[in-house]
Amino acid sequence: MEEFMQNRELSWLKFNQRVLEEASDESVPPLERFKFISIFTSNLDEFFMVRVGSLFDMMKSKKEFIDKKSGMTAKEQLDAIYKTMPYYYEMRDKVYKDVIKELEKYNMHNKNMKSLNEEELSYVKSFYLSKIEPLISAQIVDAAHPLPFLENKKLYIVTEMWDADGNIAHGLVAISDIFERYLSLPGDEFNYIRVEKVIEHYVPTMFPGYTIKEQSLVAVTRNFDFETNTDIEEEIDDYKDFMKKVIKKRTRQEVLRLEISNTKSRSITDFLKEELAITDEMILVTKSPINMKYVYGLEDIIPSSVIKKVSYEDFNPFKKYSLERGSIIKRIEEKDLLLSYPYDDIDTFLDLIKEAAESDKTISIKITIYRLAKHSKLVEYLKKACDNGIEVTALMELKARFDEENNINYSEELFKAGCNIMYGFEEYKTHSKLCLITYKDDRENIKHITQIGTGNYNENTSKIYTDFSLMTANEEIGLDANDFFRNMSLAKLNGKYLHLLQSPSTLKARLLKEMDKEIAKGKDGYIRCKMNSLTDYEFLEKFAEASQNSVTVDLIIRGICCIVPNVKGFTENVHVSSIVGRFLEHPRVYQFGRGSEMRIYISSADLMTRNTEKRVEIACPVYDEEARARLVSYLDIQLKDNTKRRILLNSGDYIKPGVEGEALIAQDYFMQKANEKREKFYEGLERDKIDEAPKENFFAKIKKIFTK
């Protein structure tokens, strides 16, 4: 245990609390606040399925696992997590209640059966009888009818009831996933009712001969953490089939959490506690909806005039390079392009792939794929390239958590189109974002365009995640990328390159070496890193060493942060900021030094041990001066954010910085700059049109006058 380090799980919970704080921020539009509650809930679901699941596995292991950073055993971490949960649930319940009241000001009402008017009640009754009742599955739970398997995060209604003889029994009603999550109600207002509320109302009709004493809405969360090196691996030869079996297996893991709607019935909780083999702390009472994914669908029932009042102002990414038309490849040959999502549009990269797919000069397209949109333009362009006889290679990672099935389906689709498919490695996820286009120029010389990104090739998330995408014609970087793909095809993970850094081989060592260079400068040294999470023990020690040598260390970390700043004798010169806002902060940028001596990298890797030692990641130095200046400016603005930015204290808590001068929100600033660039671009087009218009000479003007 180190004085300047903290537990990763508890740090993550603090981050998720920041998400919930956005939901409580009255300056955020009410529907967006509603979405933040949904994000908080989804985050917590995944946290239990993966992180809590992992701790359970450790606790059950014969080997004792102790967190080096906090000195806590797996059980101690679990105890600490469960201890905090009632606080977070109460906080969410309060924020949920406040947001519901705020939305009512815009005639948007979340109704229950008692609050329906006659028209609404008639509509709901008709809908229930025609669409829901025929599909309802209800059963008695007793010795002859044991409690069935409760699926992960599926909603159920559990009842306590008496039969005609006064005997106590329990009932179970499964709420099918095929039901809509809410019903839009008739009338002039924008009212809705959640489907589970409708089903709860009709539960007494489902158990004839019984009297309902109590009923509660419940859902279980199961352990979704899994290791792929299981016994079933030896039974199969096809890795894709193996992953399908693993996905199926994990859905039946043990229960980690029981969420139950607000109830006074101890009988129901005792019944489920015994049936599911869980403890009291694993039972969490909620007044908020257990499943909140329906929130995003509410936009469909709200007129556009109202949407504008309850949502963020529309923002469209700037599409400069797409709007200019012409060859993207030619532009990159002239100058590196650095895109900043969502302020720039991913269409520029997609246009690059489309151009390459349609060109008879293109030899090959090679790409690593981790997550894709449900309807991916990228996949369509890669298939088009195959159709045109271009060699296409895709390294598909099938272990992208919760996207496994999507990636399996896309890998099959690309394979059928003629694409060469490689899968990620058994023990190493391929998380890198790298694309290489090999082509011939007009003189038949072999050339390369390389794209390196910090985020996925996903058209949807590029609109809500902030990320960087560098496209360069630097031949040495292109040759590095070519060597990388060759190494991946040979299952060679120890590749070394002239410019690119790769984990698990060189990335960690090189970044530590860069830090050593700044440490050698003492008080003149400077280190600035932006990432999602920081957990790697060696980096934590190195940041502390830098601080002890008077080096200024600025860290911008969205989520997990295992270093504790401002600990006397250890981290007085370490400053940690976190930004949670409209967009999910996602870039990884590593800056060492300032001015002409600065080295700056973009990467797919966080400074987490899983990234630096257990994943295939790529980091790339940025050489183009304009691109370097843009990255530095980006980081500068983020550290000037005095509204959405939070500062981490040595207590582990986050506080708002003091506001000096005008309020600044970094993401708003970048949106404004994108809009200004767009306006300037279109102004330039209008001027060009005027300049290019044919000029009338003097005699032509005189002729026009007399011919009127």
Side-chain angles (χ1 to χ4, degrees):
M1 177 180 177
E2 299 283 0
E3 292 182 54
F4 59 91
M5 298 184 190
Q6 64 176 333
N7 179 260
R8 64 169 284 169
E9 317 305 349
L10 300 181
S11 173
W12 184 92
L13 288 172
K14 290 285 188 181
F15 151 70
N16 206 32
Q17 181 178 335
R18 285 277 297 108
V19 175
L20 199 53
E21 287 171 1
E22 282 299 294
S24 63
D25 187 345
E26 294 182 0
S27 69
V28 176
L31 189 57
E32 304 299 341
R33 293 172 63 188
F34 215 6
K35 291 177 184 178
F36 275 114
I37 303 174
S38 179
I39 294 168
F40 169 87
T41 302
S42 295
N43 285 349
L44 200 59
D45 291 345
E46 184 171 338
F47 176 77
F48 266 91
M49 287 187 282
V50 179
R51 296 307 308 169
V52 175
S54 177
L55 289 171
F56 257 83
D57 292 340
M58 292 180 192
M59 187 177 67
K60 292 185 298 182
S61 173
K62 294 179 181 179
K63 180 183 177 182
E64 187 176 49
F65 291 88
I66 297 181
D67 176 37
K68 288 174 64 178
K69 305 173 188 70
S70 62
M72 300 169 75
T73 65
K75 186 179 183 308
E76 288 171 338
Q77 293 178 70
L78 286 169
D79 289 344
I81 290 167
Y82 283 115
K83 187 179 179 180
T84 65
M85 283 301 114
Y87 167 77
Y88 290 121
Y89 272 70
E90 290 169 10
M91 184 178 177
R92 182 181 64 178
D93 288 343
K94 182 183 181 304
V95 177
Y96 173 80
K97 185 179 179 182
D98 291 343
V99 173
I100 287 293
K101 285 184 178 178
E102 187 65 24
L103 287 168
E104 288 176 352
K105 296 178 182 178
Y106 300 90
N107 293 324
M108 188 173 168
H109 300 272
N110 174 27
K111 291 210 167 187
N112 54 48
M113 293 298 290
K114 291 182 180 179
S115 64
L116 299 179
N117 60 39
E118 288 188 13
E119 182 186 15
E120 292 169 337
L121 186 61
S122 176
Y123 173 80
V124 169
K125 184 178 179 179
S126 175
F127 187 92
Y128 173 79
L129 293 173
S130 62
K131 303 291 186 182
I132 297 177
E133 187 183 49
L135 300 173
I136 279 290
S137 174
Q139 74 166 75
I140 298 295
V141 181
D142 57 21
H145 305 84
L147 183 74
F149 181 83
L150 303 186
E151 297 178 34
N152 181 67
K153 289 301 294 181
K154 186 172 181 177
L155 295 177
Y156 298 88
I157 300 168
V158 179
T159 66
E160 183 189 13
M161 46 199 184
W162 295 292
D163 64 13
D165 298 324
N167 300 312
I168 291 180
H170 290 96
L172 182 75
V173 179
I175 300 178
S176 174
D177 291 335
I178 67 173
F179 298 147
E180 297 290 337
R181 292 268 66 93
Y182 70 92
L183 294 180
S184 177
L185 299 173
D188 296 330
E189 297 185 330
F190 324 117
N191 302 332
Y192 67 96
I193 184 170
R194 301 200 314 276
V195 166
E196 60 262 34
K197 290 292 183 183
V198 177
I199 298 173
E200 282 184 290
H201 176 76
Y202 286 100
V203 163
T205 67
M206 302 175 195
F207 298 96
Y210 289 86
T211 303
I212 305 294
K213 182 183 176 184
E214 293 281 351
Q215 63 183 56
S216 290
L217 192 70
V218 305
V220 299
T221 307
R222 295 186 177 275
N223 186 352
F224 259 48
D225 189 53
F226 68 93
E227 296 291 335
T228 56
N229 55 341
T230 62
D231 294 338
I232 66 170
E233 180 191 355
E234 298 177 0
E235 301 173 11
I236 51 180
D237 298 319
D238 191 286
Y239 187 65
K240 180 176 63 183
D241 290 338
F242 167 59
M243 284 302 304
K244 288 179 179 178
K245 290 190 178 185
V246 170
I247 295 164
K248 185 177 181 179
K249 181 182 177 183
R250 75 181 181 183
T251 63
R252 305 192 68 85
Q253 301 256 51
E254 74 254 272
V255 173
L256 306 173
R257 175 181 63 167
L258 171 70
E259 294 176 284
I260 186 167
S261 62
N262 192 35
T263 178
K264 298 177 181 178
S265 174
R266 186 67 205 182
S267 172
I268 290 178
T269 54
D270 286 344
F271 163 70
L272 290 170
K273 178 182 170 183
E274 182 177 353
E275 289 284 342
L276 299 171
I278 57 177
T279 57
D280 283 329
E281 64 267 20
M282 299 164 76
I283 302 171
L284 297 167
V285 178
T286 179
K287 297 178 183 178
S288 313
I290 294 172
N291 186 326
M292 293 200 63
K293 293 180 180 179
Y294 71 92
V295 170
Y296 288 87
L298 294 177
E299 291 175 326
D300 297 335
I301 68 172
I302 308 174
S304 55
S305 59
V306 178
I307 280 285
K308 292 179 179 179
K309 298 176 183 177
V310 297
S311 304
Y312 288 124
E313 186 178 346
D314 285 342
F315 172 73
N316 294 311
F318 182 40
K319 302 183 180 182
K320 177 184 176 182
Y321 303 107
S322 297
L323 290 168
E324 285 179 341
R325 305 183 187 279
S327 170
I328 298 290
I329 291 176
K330 294 293 184 186
R331 286 186 176 82
I332 297 170
E333 287 175 339
E334 295 169 2
K335 187 174 180 49
D336 289 0
L337 296 185
L338 179 70
L339 303 179
S340 177
Y341 305 146
Y343 315 110
D344 297 320
D345 202 297
I346 196 174
D347 279 359
T348 299
F349 168 72
L350 295 174
D351 288 345
L352 169 66
I353 301 299
K354 184 174 183 288
E355 180 181 342
E358 295 174 345
S359 173
D360 58 4
K361 297 287 188 180
T362 303
I363 299 169
S364 66
I365 301 173
K366 299 175 182 179
I367 190 168
T368 61
I369 295 175
Y370 192 73
R371 298 189 195 276
L372 292 169
K374 292 296 182 185
H375 304 286
S376 174
K377 287 184 183 179
L378 174 63
V379 170
E380 293 304 313
Y381 295 155
L382 293 176
K383 287 161 61 177
K384 181 180 287 188
C386 289
D387 291 341
N388 291 334
I390 295 167
E391 178 192 344
V392 177
T393 300
L395 201 172
M396 300 284 300
E397 179 51 71
L398 300 187
K399 299 192 297 292
R401 186 174 288 123
F402 307 122
D403 267 355
E404 297 95 343
E405 286 190 53
N406 193 46
N407 285 6
I408 288 171
N409 292 337
Y410 271 133
S411 69
E412 292 175 345
E413 188 176 330
L414 286 167
F415 180 78
K416 289 177 183 176
C419 180
N420 302 318
I421 300 294
M422 297 187 288
Y423 299 120
F425 304 91
E426 176 195 327
E427 297 181 1
Y428 296 84
K429 282 188 181 181
T430 303
H431 189 252
S432 55
K433 326 296 181 185
L434 187 68
C435 180
L436 176 68
I437 297 169
T438 304
Y439 65 102
K440 291 182 179 180
D441 65 13
D442 295 336
R443 297 182 179 180
E444 297 298 300
N445 297 311
I446 303 295
K447 297 287 187 180
H448 300 91
I449 297 286
T450 312
Q451 182 274 339
I452 308 98
T454 66
N456 297 303
Y457 302 113
N458 186 319
E459 299 100 287
N460 296 332
T461 57
S462 71
K463 294 178 174 61
I464 55 176
Y465 287 17
T466 65
D467 271 305
F468 288 108
S469 174
L470 176 69
M471 291 169 283
T472 179
N474 184 306
E475 269 301 303
E476 290 186 348
I477 290 177
L479 292 172
D480 274 359
N482 194 55
D483 287 344
F484 168 83
F485 281 105
R486 183 185 296 114
N487 288 335
M488 293 300 100
S489 68
L490 299 172
K492 184 180 177 182
L493 292 172
N494 60 346
K496 295 182 179 180
Y497 310 98
L498 187 61
H499 299 276
L500 296 181
L501 313 182
Q502 183 206 309
S503 67
S505 55
T506 61
L507 188 149
K508 185 174 185 174
R510 178 73 70 84
L511 293 185
L512 288 170
K513 189 176 180 180
E514 293 284 19
M515 293 173 71
D516 282 333
K517 290 179 182 178
E518 295 308 303
I519 290 171
K521 297 178 184 177
K523 63 181 177 59
D524 294 325
Y526 184 63
I527 299 169
R528 180 162 61 177
C529 303
K530 176 173 173 63
M531 69 199 89
N532 299 327
S533 298
L534 169 63
T535 67
D536 188 289
Y537 197 88
E538 290 180 67
F539 280 104
L540 295 171
E541 288 191 314
K542 188 63 69 173
F543 284 130
E545 182 186 343
S547 176
Q548 291 161 12
N549 283 273
S550 302
V551 176
T552 299
V553 179
D554 285 326
L555 304 176
I556 308 171
I557 304 172
R558 186 195 76 220
I560 302 166
C561 178
C562 288
I563 196 166
V564 180
N566 199 31
V567 176
K568 192 173 181 180
F570 295 99
T571 56
E572 289 107 324
N573 295 306
V574 175
H575 315 286
V576 180
S577 297
S578 174
I579 294 177
V580 176
R582 173 174 180 172
F583 307 120
L584 182 77
E585 291 292 331
H586 198 250
R588 293 87 166 186
V589 183
Y590 301 109
Q591 176 189 346
F592 307 97
R594 292 185 173 102
S596 60
E597 295 183 353
M598 178 186 71
R599 293 88 61 206
I600 192 163
Y601 301 80
I602 63 169
S603 179
S604 57
D606 291 308
L607 300 187
M608 304 178 75
T609 307
R610 72 176 189 186
N611 299 92
T612 59
E613 298 181 9
K614 292 295 183 181
R615 287 185 173 183
V616 178
E617 306 274 13
I618 290 290
C620 179
V622 180
Y623 298 128
D624 180 86
E625 288 300 327
E626 188 175 323
R628 286 160 61 88
R630 187 175 189 186
L631 290 170
V632 169
S633 175
Y634 182 91
L635 298 175
D636 287 345
I637 294 298
Q638 290 221 313
L639 289 178
K640 291 177 182 177
D641 188 320
N642 54 22
T643 306
K644 295 298 182 182
R645 182 170 66 96
R646 298 291 184 272
I647 298 170
L648 180 63
L649 302 178
N650 57 18
S651 64
D653 296 316
Y654 290 91
I655 63 165
K656 290 184 75 171
V659 179
E660 296 180 4
E662 293 185 9
L664 173 65
I665 300 174
Q667 293 183 358
D668 286 2
Y669 174 89
F670 298 130
M671 283 192 289
Q672 181 185 338
K673 290 299 177 184
N675 288 332
E676 289 174 359
K677 288 178 183 176
R678 184 185 297 103
E679 291 174 8
K680 189 175 180 180
F681 176 80
Y682 281 114
E683 286 175 4
L685 286 183
E686 290 299 318
R687 282 197 302 271
D688 290 344
K689 285 181 182 178
I690 294 170
D691 293 340
E692 291 172 8
K695 302 292 191 293
E696 293 182 321
N697 60 34
F698 175 77
F699 294 103
K701 290 178 181 179
I702 294 295
K703 183 179 179 182
K704 186 181 287 184
I705 293 171
F706 285 100
T707 54
K708 283 184 179 179

